[in-house]
Amino acid sequence: MINKQPFGRTGHMSTQVIFGGAALWVATQDQADRVLDLILEYGINHIDTAPSYGDAELRIGPWMDQHRKHFFLATKTLERTYQGARDEIQRSLERLHTDQ
């Protein structure tokens, strides 16, 4: 099993290996599901993605419907205004099928 450590002050015990959603940039849903099933099988519990990673959020979202409770899911934004960042994060939440 992969070692875990506290992730900042979040209370989440994150694996020391994080899955980078950019790997799913142009993946089909079937390919993404297989990769995400594999990281779940190996115990990775932290996924990092961003709207700038092609279709990654769109591929992670449907899979998250059944697996959200097992992961710390992070996204980020390139927007630098409050409203722009808020809007982009809201779109990410929708694409990732989560509310947090």
Side-chain angles (χ1 to χ4, degrees):
M1 197 54 113
I2 299 170
N3 290 332
K4 295 179 183 176
Q5 64 187 37
F7 185 67
R9 293 178 281 181
T10 65
H12 175 71
M13 291 298 290
S14 182
T15 50
Q16 290 180 333
V17 173
I18 296 172
F19 177 75
L24 304 177
W25 190 289
V26 294
T28 66
Q29 191 63 54
D30 184 56
Q31 291 167 330
D33 290 346
R34 288 194 319 254
V35 168
L36 294 165
D37 285 343
L38 191 60
I39 69 167
L40 179 63
E41 178 183 332
Y42 280 94
I44 295 171
N45 69 356
H46 190 133
I47 297 174
D48 173 78
T49 192
S52 59
Y53 292 177
D55 288 339
E57 290 182 338
L58 293 172
R59 299 298 168 252
I60 294 167
W63 189 84
M64 275 293 143
D65 285 337
Q66 294 191 11
H67 303 285
R68 180 66 179 101
K69 66 183 176 186
H70 301 290
F71 288 91
F72 185 93
L73 182 59
T75 192
K76 50 201 160 292
T77 181
L78 295 175
E79 294 293 327
R80 294 299 173 243
T81 65
Y82 172 83
Q83 192 61 50
R86 187 175 190 283
D87 291 347
E88 188 165 67
I89 290 169
Q90 185 59 46
R91 280 190 304 276
S92 289
L93 290 170
E94 291 167 9
R95 291 163 55 118
L96 291 165
H97 296 211
T98 190
D99 62 356
Q100 57 177 333

